[in-house]
Amino acid sequence: DSYEAIYEWVKKICRIINQMDNSDIDIFPHSYRHSRIESLLQGEDTRIIDPNTGKPKIFPLDEVMLFAHHSDVSTTKSYAKDHSDEKLDSMFGF
């Protein structure tokens, strides 16, 4: 079963990261889905460059929703982190 193979691979990576960082984090295959959606929304994928800015492309929520095969935008929003504090900090130079 391919899911089992991916699950085992992810758990092995998790153990390696925990040993390297002396941490206790848990990563699951679905963690990668959250990470990918967040990456597209925040413009963190350096492989996809916006030709207008020359920087990583920031995808709008509706496009990421299509990518994720979500039928409701609130589902896609639930995958994204809340960046309110970061935006407030940058507004005031923190």
Side-chain angles (χ1 to χ4, degrees):
D1 181 51
S2 60
Y3 179 82
E4 287 298 318
I6 291 171
Y7 181 82
E8 290 303 318
W9 178 77
V10 169
K11 295 315 286 180
K12 285 180 186 177
I13 289 174
C14 185
R15 283 192 295 276
I16 291 169
I17 291 170
N18 284 333
Q19 288 174 355
M20 289 175 59
D21 290 347
N22 196 25
S23 60
D24 189 25
I25 61 169
D26 231 355
I27 301 172
F28 299 95
H30 203 76
S31 303
Y32 289 99
R33 184 170 174 85
H34 284 264
S35 176
R36 185 67 182 144
I37 288 172
E38 178 70 10
S39 175
L40 293 173
L41 289 170
Q42 295 301 314
E44 296 171 345
D45 188 338
T46 57
R47 300 168 297 171
I48 306 173
I49 303 299
D50 184 332
N52 298 318
T53 65
K55 296 179 180 179
K57 183 173 179 169
I58 297 172
F59 288 85
L61 187 60
D62 61 325
E63 289 181 12
V64 176
M65 182 182 91
L66 290 171
F67 168 78
H69 299 284
H70 292 153
S71 59
D72 188 336
V73 72
S74 64
T75 305
T76 310
K77 284 182 181 178
S78 73
Y79 277 69
K81 294 178 185 173
D82 180 4
H83 293 277
S84 301
D85 288 342
E86 294 170 23
K87 289 179 184 176
L88 286 171
D89 287 350
S90 69
M91 286 172 57
F92 296 103
F94 296 121

